[in-house]
Structures are given as structure tokens and as C-alpha cells.
Amino acid sequence: EIAKFMSLCGPSIERIKNTDDGDYIFSVEVTTNRVDSASVLGIAREASVILPNFGIPAKLKQEKLDTSKYKLVKKVNYLNVAVDEKLCPRFSAILIKNVTVKESPEEIKSLLEKVGVRPINNIVDTSNYIMHELGQPVHTFDYDKILKGKMILRESKKGETITTLDGREFKLDGGDIVIEDGNGRLIDLCGIMGGENSAIDNDTKNVLLFVQNYNQHKIRKTSMNLGQRSEAAVLFEKGLDSENVVPAMLSGISLIEKLSGGKTEKEILDIYPKPYKVKTVTTTKEVLDRIIGISIDKKDMTKYLVDLGFGVSWNKDVLNVMVPSWRSSDCDIPEDLAEEIARIYGYHNLPSILMEGPLPKPRETNEFKFETEVKQTLKSLGAIEIYNISLVSKEMAGNGALRLKNPLGSDTEYLRTSLKESLVENIKTNPQEKGYIHIFEIANVYLARKNDLPNEKLTLAGVIKKGNYRNN
């Protein structure tokens, strides 16, 4: 029942597995825009709002962490740090001394195994535990392996190499987020995986607990370029809540002290130059009702949003909503608020109305018909249709091409203005075809217009190698 109700109004639960010890494991589909749900806390937060609407008592229960014992500061005596804030919006770390590295308790190991994580030792297991519990990746360094107690977080240089925790060596293209220590060694491929030369082992005595947020686009690019798809990278590339860093840090401290007997410094290094500012979305009840399709009482709207963590204030029928930090990346406009209200109200409760009236007549000028006839004609001449991506490199784009604001790579940076270069490249990348080749493509090219979207122009282009139309 929990799986059914959650799937109706929130993250879809794909299947349930019953374990030998009587536990239940939910396999949950978390959409890309809802990285706040990619954790035990995130799912619990959703469940605490959804289940009471179906008569199942549920309340969010969070451990209260003691913040009075620690002070957040910009400089500490145990670590000398230089951070590029464009790469790392929030950098936090703390030293925990005199730890004992050993196996984790059975309870911790069992929970990790249930979410597909192999237990290693009490320090590394803490990192994985916090990541799955709170949705914030956490890393631990052997402090004594960080030479000169120094960290410089910067972009990698082309040709630099690093060996990660799994023993793989990577040669970097440049522009990746890395950390070097006082001797210039790379000790961390940030957001992807730690360096082998700073790893926790059985001889580790002092641990640097490390919790950060990174430039999500850089993490995505590095992860895809290197083919290194770690769980941390999958989270970081979606854009994490910087306000979740301190809760993850305090949880990590508490668990490491409990499992290892270590003693923590009292000052937490916390470099956070641009703290989160609460974002407000303003709309009206009329607008929300129109988007949803029915009228929902203001009290119910308020309850749904407040339960989800939003701040709400009404000025007659004008609604001002303060967006919580964990939803700042996906709640920007009234439609986003309407979606939250409608899903908690229940999409299944919205009325369904079938369309009425005669079917519309087909358009007299049918571009698809013309396009189909052109394709069939060319295929009858022995041509092969090609499909190429519309995003190309600068060299292939042509003059005046539009550049993407956030390209995934230099080879897909521009919208093409011609089909020719792509077709010629098709010929070049198929050198095994020694004889006659006839290929064509029908697709849009994108011509820039001032202060407007590009003109999408349907274009036909073809290439013949070792032949021509006349004798073929």
C-alpha cells in the first residue's frame, strides 16, 4: 500500500523486495529534476506528506544534531586551503584524530549491503552511509597523506594524471575539478572519486572528513569523458543543496566518533562565499486553479506546500511561496507550485474529460507528404538516408552559428547551419567503404536571428562518392 500511494503522488516505486530478516527494500525511480529525493531522507520527507492523505499515519523523524560543540570558521590551523569558488560553491572539512580503523557493526554493514554497497571499514562505510541517508556525498582522506597539510582545489591541466581509489589511472583533458596537496600531487578527482595516494587504510590514524558541493556541469563533463560513473558523480551532476553540507558534516562526525573512537577538532572549516538566499515565487489562487483545472481550497493548498517544506503567506488571493533550499533548482514559476499542489491532492482525483467534436481535417499543404516523396525518390536511386545530430563542433558549424550556453563537449557545441559538413564527415569515418556511396539527409539547419529563436529551415543535402546521378 505504501508503494502504491507513494507512486500515485510522488516518486514511483518500481518494485519491492522482501529480505530474509523481514525488511523491505523499495526500488524507487527518482527523476533527474528531483535529486532531493535521491536519499532515505528525501523519500521519507515525501512519504510523511503523501501517506497521511491515504489514512496512513506518518511523520518525518530527523535526528537532532548538536551544533553547539562546533564552530564554523573560514580558516583552521590544521589545514591550509585555496579554493576556486566557481568550481566549489561550498567547501567544508574537519580533522578527526586518533581513529581506529576496523570493521563496521553488523547493523551498518547490513544496511549498506541492502542498498548495493560493499562494506569496507568503519571510516569508508560512514561516507557511504551518509551519502545514502542524506543524499550528500562525503569523502574521507588519510590526513597524514596530505603532504604539508595543504589543499588547492583547481581545474586540472591538460595531461595531468591521477590514480583513483579503484586503481585506475586517468590522463585528464584539462578543466576537471581536482585537488593537489602541498607537494603538487593530485589527491582527489573531485566529485568523481578520491585519489589512491590519500586513501584510508588499516594504518590510518587521523581522518579529514570532507563535505563539498561542486559545479555540476564540470562534474558531468568529467564523469562522461572518463566513463567514471560513481554514485557521487550521479548526485553532484544534478546540482545539490549547499545547505545540506553542514547536516552531512555533523552526521559524519557523530558516526565516525561512535564507530572509531576518534576525537574531533572543535572548528569546522567552512568556505561558503555565497550562502543560499531564499527564493520567492508569487502567484494567485486563480492562476493555480486554472493550471490545475479545478478549484482547491486555500487551506489545502497551504497545508500541502507547508508539509513539503515551503513557506507560505497569503495577501487575499495573492500567494507568496518561499522555496526551501533543497527545492531551489526545480521550483521557479507558478506552474511548479501547481504541480506540487496537484500531485499531493492526487492526480487520480482530478476529473477526466474526453475530447468531443469532429476530427480536424488534414492540412491542405502537407510538408510530411512532400518530405516522404523526396525520400522515396532518392532511395529509388539507391541512396541511403542518414540521421546526424544537429549539434556540431565549431569547425563544422559554419559562419554565424549559434553556440549552446552549456554544451556537454566541444564536439556538440554549436547548432549547424549546413548539412554538408556532417555528410562529408560520414564519408570520412567510413573508410572501409571503398566503392560507390550515395547518402543524403533531410533535416533542419538553424540560422541565427537577432533577438529571436533561430530560423529552423528544412534542408536536403546529399553526397555521392565515386559516382554521379547521370550514370547511376
Side-chain angles (χ1 to χ4, degrees):
E1 284 192 329
I2 287 174
K4 180 177 72 174
F5 299 146
M6 289 288 289
S7 299
L8 280 172
C9 300
S12 176
I13 296 176
E14 302 296 302
R15 61 184 181 273
I16 305 171
K17 180 182 177 182
N18 187 274
T19 62
D20 294 337
D21 59 359
D23 208 347
Y24 293 90
I25 300 174
F26 288 178
S27 294
V28 187
E29 180 189 12
V30 178
T31 54
T32 301
N33 66 311
R34 290 299 308 275
V35 67
D36 63 288
S37 294
S39 63
V40 173
L41 171 62
I43 298 300
R45 187 188 286 129
E46 288 285 306
S48 68
V49 180
I50 294 168
L51 297 181
N53 292 333
F54 293 95
I56 298 178
K59 186 177 179 181
L60 185 64
K61 183 180 179 182
Q62 286 184 264
E63 181 184 357
K64 290 186 178 180
L65 298 167
D66 186 2
T67 58
S68 62
K69 294 194 295 185
Y70 306 100
K71 185 178 179 181
L72 301 179
V73 296
K74 295 180 181 179
K75 289 185 179 181
V76 291
N77 58 15
Y78 53 82
L79 193 65
N80 184 12
V81 170
V83 178
D84 184 339
E85 66 180 68
K86 293 179 182 178
L87 305 177
C88 180
R90 190 168 194 178
F91 180 109
S92 69
I94 195 164
L95 176 61
I96 305 175
K97 295 180 178 178
N98 299 319
V99 302
T100 301
V101 179
K102 57 185 179 181
E103 279 192 26
S104 296
E106 286 301 320
E107 180 186 4
I108 298 290
K109 292 197 292 185
S110 174
L111 288 170
L112 289 174
E113 287 168 348
K114 287 174 181 177
V115 295
V117 176
R118 179 174 62 89
I120 297 174
N121 58 53
N122 54 348
I123 305 300
V124 176
D125 292 351
T126 294
S127 299
N128 289 323
Y129 187 94
I130 299 298
M131 179 173 66
H132 285 87
E133 181 190 34
L134 302 182
Q136 169 64 53
V138 172
H139 187 56
T140 50
F141 291 93
D142 186 322
Y143 176 76
D144 299 311
K145 294 179 182 178
I146 303 171
L147 302 181
K148 299 182 181 179
K150 184 176 182 180
M151 284 184 162
I152 301 173
L153 189 147
R154 59 170 174 82
E155 288 188 346
S156 66
K157 301 167 188 173
K158 186 175 179 61
E160 283 188 299
T161 61
I162 184 171
T163 302
T164 50
L165 290 170
D166 56 1
R168 297 176 64 190
E169 183 176 332
F170 294 98
K171 187 175 182 180
L172 306 179
D173 291 336
D176 314 282
I177 307 176
V178 296
I179 292 178
E180 71 170 55
D181 68 3
N183 276 19
R185 305 178 309 158
L186 297 189
I187 59 173
D188 190 26
L189 184 57
C190 296
I192 313 292
M193 191 172 288
E196 187 179 57
N197 52 12
S198 59
I200 301 293
D201 57 37
N202 291 334
D203 297 323
T204 296
K205 294 299 178 188
N206 301 305
V207 169
L208 189 73
L209 179 61
F210 191 71
V211 190
Q212 273 71 35
N213 271 1
Y214 297 112
N215 180 315
Q216 66 190 90
H217 307 296
K218 291 278 187 181
I219 298 299
R220 170 74 178 178
K221 184 177 179 181
T222 297
S223 177
M224 297 304 290
N225 283 348
L226 300 180
Q228 192 79 337
R229 301 294 293 155
S230 65
E231 289 183 278
V234 171
L235 289 171
F236 277 127
E237 71 186 17
K238 292 174 174 60
L240 295 180
D241 174 16
S242 291
E243 293 293 294
N244 200 24
V245 165
V246 169
M249 171 66 76
L250 295 175
S251 293
I253 291 170
S254 175
L255 197 53
I256 288 178
E257 286 185 337
K258 179 180 177 181
L259 299 183
S260 74
K263 186 175 181 181
T264 307
E265 294 283 340
K266 297 304 178 186
E267 292 186 331
I268 298 174
L269 177 63
D270 185 39
I271 302 173
Y272 193 19
K274 296 178 181 178
Y276 175 70
K277 293 181 179 179
V278 176
K279 178 170 61 177
T280 301
V281 180
T282 300
T283 185
T284 65
K285 185 177 186 303
E286 180 186 359
V287 169
L288 293 173
D289 286 343
R290 186 176 71 248
I291 295 170
I292 296 169
I294 62 171
S295 178
I296 295 178
D297 189 87
K298 286 167 61 174
K299 288 183 179 180
D300 290 332
M301 286 185 175
T302 300
K303 183 180 186 309
Y304 299 154
L305 292 171
V306 169
D307 287 349
L308 287 168
F310 294 83
V312 174
S313 66
W314 290 91
N315 183 7
K316 295 184 178 179
D317 277 350
V318 176
L319 173 63
N320 294 300
V321 176
M322 284 68 75
V323 180
S325 59
W326 64 86
R327 297 300 304 277
S328 62
S329 63
D330 77 305
C331 282
D332 298 297
I333 55 178
E335 285 77 4
D336 295 327
L337 301 180
E339 180 183 4
E340 295 302 300
I341 293 167
R343 73 182 180 89
I344 302 303
Y345 176 82
Y347 291 133
H348 56 287
N349 291 323
L350 298 177
S352 298
I353 302 174
L354 294 175
M355 291 188 295
E356 296 179 349
L359 293 174
K361 293 180 180 179
R363 293 171 59 185
E364 293 183 5
T365 336
N366 192 330
E367 291 90 348
F368 291 113
K369 181 181 177 184
F370 173 74
E371 187 178 336
T372 300
E373 289 176 351
V374 171
K375 289 181 179 182
Q376 289 175 344
T377 301
L378 287 168
K379 289 176 182 178
S380 71
L381 294 170
I384 298 172
E385 185 178 3
I386 298 295
Y387 293 90
N388 286 305
I389 188 171
S390 296
L391 298 172
V392 295
S393 64
K394 183 178 182 180
E395 294 72 27
M396 295 174 61
N399 293 331
L402 293 168
R403 182 182 180 276
L404 266 66
K405 187 176 181 180
N406 56 341
L408 290 178
S410 59
D411 57 337
T412 56
E413 198 172 4
Y414 287 83
L415 285 166
R416 59 181 174 172
T417 58
S418 167
L419 306 183
K420 182 181 74 173
E421 287 75 12
S422 298
L423 290 169
V424 171
E425 187 67 19
N426 295 146
I427 297 291
K428 290 180 179 178
T429 53
N430 286 276
Q432 71 277 8
E433 301 293 338
K434 303 293 185 184
Y436 168 74
I437 300 177
H438 182 187
I439 59 176
F440 75 94
E441 182 176 12
I442 296 180
N444 285 334
V445 295
Y446 301 85
L447 307 177
R449 292 190 290 193
K450 190 173 182 180
N451 299 323
D452 200 354
L453 294 172
N455 177 23
E456 299 184 30
K457 186 177 180 182
L458 188 64
T459 306
L460 166 66
V463 172
I464 295 178
K465 176 184 176 185
K466 293 190 176 180
N468 56 53
Y469 277 106
R470 179 175 297 177
N471 59 25
N472 290 287

